[in-house]
PDB file of all heavy atoms in Angstrom:
ATOM      1  N   ILE A  31      -5.179  30.244  -6.981  1.00 90.00           N
ATOM      2  CA  ILE A  31      -5.904  30.067  -5.732  1.00 90.00           C
ATOM      3  C   ILE A  31      -7.171  29.273  -6.057  1.00 90.00           C
ATOM      4  O   ILE A  31      -7.677  29.332  -7.178  1.00 90.00           O
ATOM      5  CB  ILE A  31      -6.258  31.406  -5.048  1.00 90.00           C
ATOM      6  CG1 ILE A  31      -7.155  32.263  -5.936  1.00 90.00           C
ATOM      7  CG2 ILE A  31      -4.995  32.158  -4.663  1.00 90.00           C
ATOM      8  CD1 ILE A  31      -7.635  33.547  -5.260  1.00 90.00           C
ATOM      9  N   LEU A  51      11.599  25.222  -6.121  1.00 98.00           N
ATOM     10  CA  LEU A  51      12.202  26.403  -6.745  1.00 98.00           C
ATOM     11  C   LEU A  51      13.372  26.937  -5.925  1.00 98.00           C
ATOM     12  O   LEU A  51      14.288  27.557  -6.482  1.00 98.00           O
ATOM     13  CB  LEU A  51      11.139  27.475  -6.938  1.00 98.00           C
ATOM     14  CG  LEU A  51      10.036  27.144  -7.952  1.00 98.00           C
ATOM     15  CD1 LEU A  51       9.008  28.262  -8.006  1.00 98.00           C
ATOM     16  CD2 LEU A  51      10.614  26.876  -9.340  1.00 98.00           C
ATOM     17  N   GLN A  69     -10.089  23.003 -11.458  1.00 90.00           N
ATOM     18  CA  GLN A  69      -9.092  22.268 -12.244  1.00 90.00           C
ATOM     19  C   GLN A  69      -9.129  22.639 -13.723  1.00 90.00           C
ATOM     20  O   GLN A  69      -8.095  22.960 -14.333  1.00 90.00           O
ATOM     21  CB  GLN A  69      -9.344  20.762 -12.129  1.00 90.00           C
ATOM     22  CG  GLN A  69      -9.094  20.140 -10.791  1.00 90.00           C
ATOM     23  CD  GLN A  69      -9.404  18.648 -10.816  1.00 90.00           C
ATOM     24  OE1 GLN A  69      -9.363  18.007 -11.866  1.00 90.00           O
ATOM     25  NE2 GLN A  69      -9.700  18.082  -9.660  1.00 90.00           N
ATOM     26  N   ASP A 131     -18.541  -5.157  -7.474  1.00 97.00           N
ATOM     27  CA  ASP A 131     -19.944  -5.388  -7.828  1.00 97.00           C
ATOM     28  C   ASP A 131     -20.882  -4.825  -6.760  1.00 97.00           C
ATOM     29  O   ASP A 131     -21.938  -4.265  -7.083  1.00 97.00           O
ATOM     30  CB  ASP A 131     -20.217  -6.883  -8.027  1.00 97.00           C
ATOM     31  CG  ASP A 131     -19.671  -7.398  -9.351  1.00 97.00           C
ATOM     32  OD1 ASP A 131     -19.435  -6.567 -10.256  1.00 97.00           O
ATOM     33  OD2 ASP A 131     -19.479  -8.615  -9.470  1.00 97.00           O
ATOM     34  N   GLY A 139     -20.703  10.335  -5.625  1.00 98.00           N
ATOM     35  CA  GLY A 139     -20.688  11.709  -6.118  1.00 98.00           C
ATOM     36  C   GLY A 139     -19.287  12.186  -6.453  1.00 98.00           C
ATOM     37  O   GLY A 139     -18.332  11.855  -5.752  1.00 98.00           O
ATOM     38  N   THR A 148     -14.435   9.945 -14.649  1.00 95.00           N
ATOM     39  CA  THR A 148     -14.177   9.007 -15.740  1.00 95.00           C
ATOM     40  C   THR A 148     -13.622   7.690 -15.216  1.00 95.00           C
ATOM     41  O   THR A 148     -13.976   6.606 -15.703  1.00 95.00           O
ATOM     42  CB  THR A 148     -13.203   9.634 -16.748  1.00 95.00           C
ATOM     43  OG1 THR A 148     -13.755  10.852 -17.251  1.00 95.00           O
ATOM     44  CG2 THR A 148     -12.917   8.694 -17.902  1.00 95.00           C
ATOM     45  N   GLU A 164     -18.099  22.922  -3.450  1.00 91.00           N
ATOM     46  CA  GLU A 164     -18.934  23.089  -2.256  1.00 91.00           C
ATOM     47  C   GLU A 164     -20.328  22.500  -2.455  1.00 91.00           C
ATOM     48  O   GLU A 164     -20.931  21.966  -1.524  1.00 91.00           O
ATOM     49  CB  GLU A 164     -19.025  24.569  -1.880  1.00 91.00           C
ATOM     50  CG  GLU A 164     -17.743  25.107  -1.281  1.00 91.00           C
ATOM     51  CD  GLU A 164     -17.925  26.473  -0.633  1.00 91.00           C
ATOM     52  OE1 GLU A 164     -18.869  27.187  -1.027  1.00 91.00           O
ATOM     53  OE2 GLU A 164     -17.128  26.812   0.258  1.00 91.00           O
ATOM     54  N   PRO A 179     -16.356   9.832  -2.430  1.00 98.00           N
ATOM     55  CA  PRO A 179     -14.958   9.422  -2.252  1.00 98.00           C
ATOM     56  C   PRO A 179     -14.029  10.634  -2.233  1.00 98.00           C
ATOM     57  O   PRO A 179     -14.021  11.432  -3.171  1.00 98.00           O
ATOM     58  CB  PRO A 179     -14.668   8.538  -3.478  1.00 98.00           C
ATOM     59  CG  PRO A 179     -16.001   8.256  -4.100  1.00 98.00           C
ATOM     60  CD  PRO A 179     -16.879   9.403  -3.742  1.00 98.00           C
ATOM     61  N   SER A 187     -10.053  17.477   6.806  1.00 92.00           N
ATOM     62  CA  SER A 187     -10.476  18.883   6.920  1.00 92.00           C
ATOM     63  C   SER A 187     -11.904  19.056   6.424  1.00 92.00           C
ATOM     64  O   SER A 187     -12.669  19.875   6.960  1.00 92.00           O
ATOM     65  CB  SER A 187      -9.522  19.796   6.142  1.00 92.00           C
ATOM     66  OG  SER A 187      -9.503  19.467   4.768  1.00 92.00           O
ATOM     67  N   TYR A 208      -3.117   7.085  -9.396  1.00 91.00           N
ATOM     68  CA  TYR A 208      -3.561   8.432  -9.761  1.00 91.00           C
ATOM     69  C   TYR A 208      -2.879   9.457  -8.874  1.00 91.00           C
ATOM     70  O   TYR A 208      -2.653   9.214  -7.695  1.00 91.00           O
ATOM     71  CB  TYR A 208      -5.079   8.487  -9.549  1.00 91.00           C
ATOM     72  CG  TYR A 208      -5.775   9.769  -9.924  1.00 91.00           C
ATOM     73  CD1 TYR A 208      -5.652  10.340 -11.177  1.00 91.00           C
ATOM     74  CD2 TYR A 208      -6.615  10.395  -9.004  1.00 91.00           C
ATOM     75  CE1 TYR A 208      -6.329  11.485 -11.513  1.00 91.00           C
ATOM     76  CE2 TYR A 208      -7.310  11.552  -9.329  1.00 91.00           C
ATOM     77  CZ  TYR A 208      -7.164  12.094 -10.589  1.00 91.00           C
ATOM     78  OH  TYR A 208      -7.855  13.224 -10.918  1.00 91.00           O
ATOM     79  N   SER A 237      14.116  16.219   1.686  1.00 98.00           N
ATOM     80  CA  SER A 237      13.222  17.317   2.067  1.00 98.00           C
ATOM     81  C   SER A 237      11.814  17.140   1.492  1.00 98.00           C
ATOM     82  O   SER A 237      10.834  17.619   2.069  1.00 98.00           O
ATOM     83  CB  SER A 237      13.803  18.666   1.669  1.00 98.00           C
ATOM     84  OG  SER A 237      14.136  18.717   0.295  1.00 98.00           O
ATOM     85  N   ALA A 249      -2.528  12.037   8.567  1.00 95.00           N
ATOM     86  CA  ALA A 249      -3.735  11.696   7.803  1.00 95.00           C
ATOM     87  C   ALA A 249      -3.682  10.249   7.327  1.00 95.00           C
ATOM     88  O   ALA A 249      -4.689   9.525   7.387  1.00 95.00           O
ATOM     89  CB  ALA A 249      -3.877  12.632   6.607  1.00 95.00           C
ATOM     90  N   THR A 272       3.633   7.602 -17.403  1.00 94.00           N
ATOM     91  CA  THR A 272       3.482   7.606 -15.945  1.00 94.00           C
ATOM     92  C   THR A 272       4.677   6.889 -15.308  1.00 94.00           C
ATOM     93  O   THR A 272       4.997   5.764 -15.691  1.00 94.00           O
ATOM     94  CB  THR A 272       2.182   6.893 -15.544  1.00 94.00           C
ATOM     95  OG1 THR A 272       1.080   7.566 -16.142  1.00 94.00           O
ATOM     96  CG2 THR A 272       2.012   6.906 -14.027  1.00 94.00           C
TER      97      THR A 272
END
Side-chain angles (χ1 to χ4, degrees):
I31 61 175
L51 293 177
Q69 292 179 25
D131 284 340
T148 302
E164 287 193 336
S187 61
Y208 183 54
S237 54
T272 300

